[in-house]
Amino acid sequence: MAVLTPTSIDTAALRADFPFLEELVNGKPLAYLDSASSTQKPRQVLDRVRAFYEHEYANVHRGVYRLAERATEGYEGARRTVATFVNAPSERDVIFTRSATESINLVAYAWGLQNLGPGDTVVITELEHHANFVPWQFIASRTGASFRHIPIDDAGELQLDALAGLARENSIKVVAAGLVSNSLGTINPVERLAAWAHEQGAIMVVDAAQAAPHRTIDVQALGCDFLALSSHKLCGPSGIGALWGRRELLEEMAPFNLGGEMIRSVGLDRTTFNELPHKFEAGTPAIAEAVGFGAAIDYISEIGLPAIERHEHELTVYAMARLEELAWVRVFGPPVERRAGIVSFDVEGVHPHDVAQILDWDGIAVRAGHHCTQPLMKRLGVAATTRASFYLYSIAEEVDRLVDGLHKVKKSLG
Ligand SMILES: Cc1ncc(COP(=O)(O)O)c(C=O)c1O
């Protein structure tokens, strides 16, 4: 049987930060193996949001009274935290959105409608989450641009030898790719794609929703033009995400949402727009959620992204070795060296929904479905998979419970 090497972070101590992990499901301790979908929240984040509502809350950027200034400082402080987290040259280029999905829609609409047309091509990958697929497909179709994809091999890794053909046959204007695949955990060579995109005269859009919680993100080192991330996947509140964009591009883009706060002046004949980042933040933003987002970044940064990544890697090595013991389980995706803490698999003869249902009886939470990657599922030749995903609070005992649970699944249905 596989043996786990000691992990680099003190998970037992960290787990005490997460009240939700004390929940019982069917009288059993919860084994939460669905962090790729959304993460649980530590007390530090919950307390920060509560303290903000209790002592600092007002609308932002409007009032001159003390409390409004304090709320604005909390909100803008969170923006500085996000900027540092992704190594943005300036916090003015960080825009708060509702989610990674909204961040990508902002780019697809505001940049795409202005810059794409017949003869242009948008390139995505076969691995993309629908959030980085459907907006591009839609805007390409609206503008008359073509929509192409970088194919994957059977292991779920990008076939980079397809790039030359794509470049020969198309005038590429956008390359949009995820840093980490939410379905297979594949880590994509985004720096290389960004360099290739720029050789084509295209912009590079990176979906970092699944990477930012687990590994250090540096927009300057990646060489990308836009990067989307989400709070709820890194221990923060839902309803808030961020977009980092290259200053020159953001300046040239028309606004995405229109209304209060994003204007400089409004007249009956003409409206002018506010400076960055406010041009892209119409209306009252998710203020406390932004503050919670900042607190979540502080929390994971204190643990250290390299340590989190190492912990998840060790757990993934262990999980893959344990699943390999089960001849009737097929694991999808690349070798463990090139995957993040995500393991998608199929139990021979049992539908993933039934697998997840039976595991739930034992308090084991996994995701079953297409994971918002229907084109990828088609490529893999399945309608759905079962997915276990890990985070800083995940432990080997939970992997063991998963494997025991799968034996039960096989015995009852396989
Ligand atoms: C790779 C990837 N991109 C985008 C998203 C969408 O993120 P959000 O929930 O912030 O819209 C997800 C969420 O599952 C994801 O895994």
Side-chain angles (χ1 to χ4, degrees):
M1 187 161 114
V3 180
L4 183 71
T5 49
T7 128
S8 36
I9 53 181
D10 184 355
T11 24
L14 289 178
R15 283 172 74 84
D17 291 337
F18 290 81
F20 196 85
L21 297 179
E22 291 159 21
E23 287 294 304
L24 296 180
V25 178
N26 295 327
K28 315 235 170 79
L30 170 68
Y32 187 72
L33 297 176
D34 196 21
S35 290
S37 177
S38 202
T39 54
Q40 298 302 336
K41 320 300 173 198
R43 270 177 235 282
Q44 289 82 342
V45 170
L46 303 173
D47 290 350
R48 180 68 191 103
V49 172
R50 187 181 182 91
F52 182 78
Y53 271 127
E54 285 181 348
H55 305 291
E56 297 162 64
Y57 185 76
N59 211 328
V60 289
H61 304 135
R62 293 163 205 228
V64 288
Y65 48 92
R66 187 81 49 84
L67 203 56
E69 282 173 10
R70 218 186 284 167
T72 301
E73 177 45 34
Y75 182 72
E76 291 302 328
R79 193 191 309 280
R80 287 194 293 278
T81 303
V82 175
T84 305
F85 184 61
V86 300
N87 196 28
S90 161
E91 75 251 26
R92 282 186 58 209
D93 310 330
V94 171
I95 294 148
F96 281 126
T97 60
R98 278 190 301 139
S99 58
T101 301
E102 191 178 65
S103 300
I104 297 165
N105 273 274
L106 193 163
V107 183
Y109 273 88
W111 190 91
L113 286 181
Q114 216 168 300
N115 291 285
L116 292 172
D120 296 330
T121 300
V122 176
V123 174
I124 48 89
T125 86
E126 209 170 9
L127 285 168
E128 289 321 293
H129 187 284
H130 295 164
N132 200 29
F133 189 110
V134 182
W136 293 115
Q137 188 179 47
F138 182 75
I139 294 297
S141 140
R142 264 191 64 177
T143 56
S146 312
F147 183 67
R148 300 269 183 277
H149 69 271
I150 304 170
I152 53 166
D153 61 21
D154 291 341
E157 296 191 89
L158 296 181
Q159 289 188 324
L160 296 180
D161 47 8
L163 296 183
L166 279 168
R168 215 170 22 249
E169 289 156 23
N170 302 282
S171 168
I172 299 168
K173 281 285 180 65
V174 178
V175 180
L179 193 39
V180 168
S181 151
N182 65 304
S183 285
L184 300 181
T186 313
I187 301 166
N188 287 325
V190 160
E191 293 93 333
R192 191 156 162 210
L193 289 179
W196 177 74
H198 292 150
E199 278 163 31
Q200 314 310 311
I203 60 160
M204 179 74 212
V205 181
V206 175
D207 173 2
Q210 210 57 249
H214 312 280
R215 47 203 295 121
T216 305
I217 299 290
D218 181 335
V219 292
Q220 301 185 60
L222 287 173
C224 57
D225 298 292
F226 293 99
L227 183 131
L229 68 156
S230 197
S231 156
H232 72 93
K233 294 199 193 282
L234 49 73
C235 294
S238 51
I240 183 92
L243 172 72
W244 170 81
R246 200 176 285 285
R247 172 77 56 87
E248 318 80 89
L249 300 174
L250 290 173
E251 294 281 14
E252 280 167 15
M253 283 155 58
F256 176 47
N257 289 315
L258 300 119
E261 281 303 296
M262 51 74 67
I263 54 89
R264 177 164 290 138
S265 73
V266 178
L268 286 175
D269 50 349
R270 182 164 178 261
T271 291
T272 57
F273 303 124
N274 206 339
E275 61 188 16
L276 289 173
H278 311 295
K279 178 171 91 171
F280 291 108
E281 293 182 7
T284 299
I287 306 166
E289 288 80 358
V291 169
F293 188 5
I297 290 176
D298 287 343
Y299 179 79
I300 62 172
S301 301
E302 198 164 306
I303 298 164
L305 271 295
I308 293 172
E309 191 182 350
R310 221 163 29 243
H311 168 71
E312 290 169 5
H313 177 73
E314 286 160 6
L315 209 50
T316 309
V317 168
Y318 180 67
M320 288 185 57
R322 291 251 33 217
L323 289 173
E324 219 168 84
E325 294 165 13
L326 313 179
W328 31 271
V329 166
R330 172 185 169 206
V331 174
F332 299 99
V336 72
E337 313 81 70
R338 293 194 296 282
R339 77 156 73 204
I342 290 173
V343 184
S344 256
F345 56 89
D346 180 61
V347 178
E348 192 180 69
V350 188
H351 192 281
H353 287 158
D354 295 330
V355 175
Q357 185 75 62
I358 293 178
L359 291 174
D360 181 55
W361 294 340
D362 281 333
I364 303 159
V366 293
R367 179 81 177 267
H370 54 66
H371 317 296
C372 297
T373 53
Q374 285 184 356
L376 170 61
M377 293 295 118
K378 190 158 183 231
R379 170 65 177 82
L380 297 174
V382 294
T385 72
T386 306
R387 181 187 70 184
S389 53
F390 311 124
Y391 203 23
L392 52 93
Y393 41 67
S394 306
I395 49 176
E397 287 81 344
E398 291 169 334
V399 172
D400 293 335
R401 284 178 60 197
L402 170 68
V403 171
D404 293 345
L406 290 175
H407 278 290
K408 262 194 203 170
V409 167
K410 187 66 184 161
K411 213 183 257 173
S412 34
L413 292 179

